[in-house]
Coordinates of all heavy atoms in Angstrom, one line a residue:
N396 N 54.1 99.0 51.0 CA 54.4 99.4 52.4 C 53.2 100.1 53.1 O 53.0 99.9 54.3 CB 55.6 100.3 52.4 CG 56.9 99.5 52.0 OD1 57.0 98.3 52.3 ND2 57.8 100.2 51.4
D397 N 52.5 100.8 52.3 CA 51.3 101.5 52.9 C 50.3 100.4 53.3 O 49.7 100.6 54.4 CB 50.7 102.4 51.8 CG 51.6 103.6 51.4 OD1 52.4 104.0 52.3 OD2 51.4 104.1 50.3
R398 N 50.1 99.4 52.5 CA 49.1 98.4 52.8 C 49.5 97.6 54.1 O 48.6 97.2 54.9 CB 48.9 97.4 51.6 CG 48.2 98.1 50.4 CD 47.7 97.0 49.4 NE 48.8 96.1 48.9 CZ 49.6 96.4 47.9 NH1 49.4 97.6 47.3 NH2 50.5 95.6 47.5
I399 N 50.8 97.4 54.3 CA 51.2 96.8 55.5 C 50.8 97.6 56.7 O 50.3 97.1 57.7 CB 52.8 96.6 55.5 CG1 53.2 95.6 54.4 CG2 53.3 96.2 56.9 CD1 54.7 95.4 54.3
E400 N 51.0 98.9 56.7 CA 50.6 99.8 57.8 C 49.1 99.8 58.0 O 48.7 99.8 59.1 CB 51.1 101.2 57.5 CG 52.6 101.4 57.5 CD 53.0 102.8 57.4 OE1 52.3 103.7 57.9 OE2 54.1 103.1 56.9
I401 N 48.4 99.8 56.9 CA 46.9 99.8 57.0 C 46.4 98.5 57.6 O 45.5 98.5 58.5 CB 46.3 100.1 55.7 CG1 46.7 101.5 55.1 CG2 44.7 100.0 55.8 CD1 46.2 101.7 53.7
F402 N 47.0 97.4 57.2 CA 46.6 96.1 57.7 C 46.9 96.0 59.2 O 46.1 95.5 60.0 CB 47.3 94.9 57.0 CG 46.4 94.4 55.8 CD1 46.9 94.5 54.5 CD2 45.2 93.7 56.1 CE1 46.1 94.1 53.5 CE2 44.5 93.2 55.0 CZ 44.9 93.4 53.7
E403 N 48.1 96.5 59.6 CA 48.5 96.5 61.0 C 47.6 97.3 61.8 O 47.2 96.9 63.0 CB 50.0 97.0 61.1 CG 51.0 96.0 60.6 CD 52.4 96.6 60.6 OE1 52.5 97.8 60.8 OE2 53.4 95.8 60.5
H404 N 47.1 98.4 61.3 CA 46.2 99.3 62.0 C 44.9 98.6 62.3 O 44.4 98.6 63.4 CB 46.0 100.6 61.2 CG 44.9 101.5 61.8 ND1 45.1 102.2 62.9 CD2 43.6 101.7 61.4 CE1 43.9 102.9 63.2 NE2 43.1 102.6 62.3
F405 N 44.3 98.0 61.2 CA 43.0 97.4 61.4 C 43.0 96.1 62.1 O 42.0 95.7 62.8 CB 42.3 97.3 60.0 CG 41.8 98.6 59.4 CD1 42.4 99.1 58.3 CD2 40.8 99.3 60.1 CE1 42.0 100.3 57.8 CE2 40.4 100.5 59.5 CZ 41.0 101.0 58.4
M406 N 44.1 95.4 62.0 CA 44.3 94.1 62.6 C 44.4 94.2 64.1 O 44.3 93.2 64.9 CB 45.5 93.3 62.0 CG 45.2 92.7 60.6 SD 46.6 92.2 59.7 CE 47.3 90.9 60.8
K407 N 44.7 95.4 64.6 CA 44.8 95.6 66.1 C 43.5 95.4 66.7 O 43.4 95.1 67.9 CB 45.3 97.0 66.4 CG 46.8 97.2 66.0 CD 47.2 98.7 66.3 CE 48.7 98.9 65.9 NZ 49.0 100.4 66.1
K408 N 42.4 95.6 65.9 CA 41.0 95.5 66.5 C 40.5 94.1 66.5 O 39.4 93.9 67.1 CB 40.1 96.5 65.7 CG 40.6 97.9 65.6 CD 39.7 98.7 64.7 CE 40.3 100.2 64.6 NZ 39.4 101.0 63.7
V409 N 41.1 93.2 65.9 CA 40.6 91.8 65.8 C 41.7 90.8 66.4 O 42.9 91.2 66.4 CB 40.2 91.4 64.4 CG1 39.1 92.3 63.9 CG2 41.4 91.4 63.5
K410 N 41.3 89.7 66.8 CA 42.2 88.7 67.4 C 42.7 87.8 66.2 O 42.0 86.9 65.7 CB 41.5 87.8 68.4 CG 41.1 88.6 69.7 CD 40.4 87.7 70.7 CE 40.1 88.4 71.9 NZ 39.4 87.6 72.9
T411 N 43.8 88.1 65.7 CA 44.4 87.3 64.6 C 45.4 86.3 65.1 O 46.1 86.5 66.2 CB 45.1 88.2 63.6 OG1 46.2 89.0 64.3 CG2 44.2 89.2 63.0
H412 N 45.5 85.2 64.4 CA 46.5 84.1 64.8 C 47.9 84.6 64.5 O 48.1 85.4 63.6 CB 46.2 82.9 63.9 CG 46.9 81.7 64.4 ND1 48.1 81.3 63.9 CD2 46.5 80.7 65.3 CE1 48.5 80.2 64.5 NE2 47.6 79.8 65.4
P413 N 48.9 84.2 65.3 CA 50.3 84.6 65.1 C 50.8 84.3 63.7 O 51.7 85.0 63.2 CB 51.0 83.8 66.1 CG 50.0 83.5 67.2 CD 48.7 83.4 66.5
S414 N 50.2 83.3 63.0 CA 50.7 83.0 61.6 C 50.2 84.0 60.6 O 50.7 84.1 59.5 CB 50.1 81.6 61.2 OG 48.7 81.6 61.2
V415 N 49.3 84.9 60.9 CA 48.8 85.9 60.0 C 49.8 87.1 60.1 O 50.0 87.7 61.1 CB 47.4 86.4 60.4 CG1 46.9 87.5 59.4 CG2 46.4 85.2 60.4
S416 N 50.3 87.5 58.9 CA 51.2 88.6 58.9 C 50.7 89.7 57.9 O 50.1 89.4 56.9 CB 52.6 88.2 58.4 OG 52.6 87.8 57.0
A417 N 50.9 90.9 58.3 CA 50.4 92.0 57.5 C 51.2 92.0 56.1 O 50.6 92.4 55.1 CB 50.7 93.4 58.2
E418 N 52.4 91.6 56.1 CA 53.2 91.5 54.9 C 52.6 90.6 53.9 O 52.5 90.9 52.7 CB 54.7 91.1 55.2 CG 55.5 92.1 56.0 CD 55.2 92.1 57.5 OE1 54.4 91.3 57.9 OE2 55.7 93.0 58.1
L419 N 52.2 89.4 54.4 CA 51.5 88.4 53.5 C 50.2 89.0 52.9 O 50.0 88.9 51.7 CB 51.2 87.1 54.2 CG 50.4 86.1 53.5 CD1 51.1 85.6 52.3 CD2 50.0 84.9 54.4
L420 N 49.4 89.6 53.7 CA 48.1 90.1 53.3 C 48.3 91.3 52.3 O 47.6 91.4 51.3 CB 47.3 90.6 54.5 CG 46.9 89.5 55.5 CD1 46.2 90.1 56.7 CD2 46.0 88.4 54.8
A421 N 49.3 92.1 52.6 CA 49.6 93.3 51.7 C 50.1 92.8 50.3 O 49.7 93.4 49.3 CB 50.7 94.1 52.3
N422 N 50.8 91.7 50.3 CA 51.3 91.1 49.0 C 50.1 90.5 48.2 O 50.2 90.5 47.0 CB 52.3 90.0 49.3 CG 53.0 89.5 48.0 OD1 53.5 90.3 47.2 ND2 53.0 88.2 47.8
L423 N 49.0 90.1 48.9 CA 47.9 89.5 48.2 C 46.8 90.5 47.8 O 45.8 90.1 47.2 CB 47.3 88.4 49.1 CG 48.1 87.2 49.5 CD1 47.4 86.3 50.5 CD2 48.5 86.4 48.2
T424 N 47.0 91.7 48.1 CA 45.9 92.7 47.9 C 46.4 94.0 47.1 O 46.1 95.1 47.6 CB 45.3 93.1 49.2 OG1 46.4 93.6 50.1 CG2 44.6 92.0 49.9
P425 N 47.1 93.8 46.0 CA 47.5 95.0 45.3 C 46.2 95.7 44.7 O 45.3 95.1 44.3 CB 48.3 94.5 44.1 CG 47.9 93.1 43.9 CD 47.5 92.6 45.3
G426 N 46.2 97.1 44.7 CA 45.1 97.8 44.2 C 44.0 98.1 45.1 O 43.0 98.8 44.8
L427 N 44.0 97.6 46.4 CA 43.0 97.8 47.3 C 43.2 99.2 48.0 O 44.3 99.5 48.3 CB 42.9 96.7 48.3 CG 41.8 95.6 48.1 CD1 42.2 94.9 46.8 CD2 41.8 94.6 49.2
S428 N 42.1 99.8 48.3 CA 42.1 101.1 49.0 C 42.1 100.8 50.5 O 41.8 99.7 50.9 CB 41.0 102.0 48.6 OG 39.8 101.5 49.0
G429 N 42.2 101.9 51.3 CA 42.1 101.7 52.7 C 40.7 101.2 53.2 O 40.6 100.4 54.1

């Protein structure tokens, strides 16, 4: 859940495609720091 919030925060600064979800990216990145 923390990674979802962090991805959402940093993804605000870039133009991402609607198909990109913070939930998917958070699931693929266990163990990563902010």
Side-chain angles (χ1 to χ4, degrees):
N396 290 329
D397 295 333
R398 293 196 300 276
I399 291 176
E400 291 187 30
I401 297 172
F402 268 113
E403 288 175 345
H404 171 74
F405 288 114
M406 286 166 59
K407 291 177 182 177
K408 303 176 184 180
V409 299
K410 295 182 179 180
T411 58
H412 191 269
S414 63
V415 179
S416 70
E418 290 79 7
L419 171 64
L420 296 176
N422 189 52
L423 296 175
T424 53
L427 262 63
S428 67

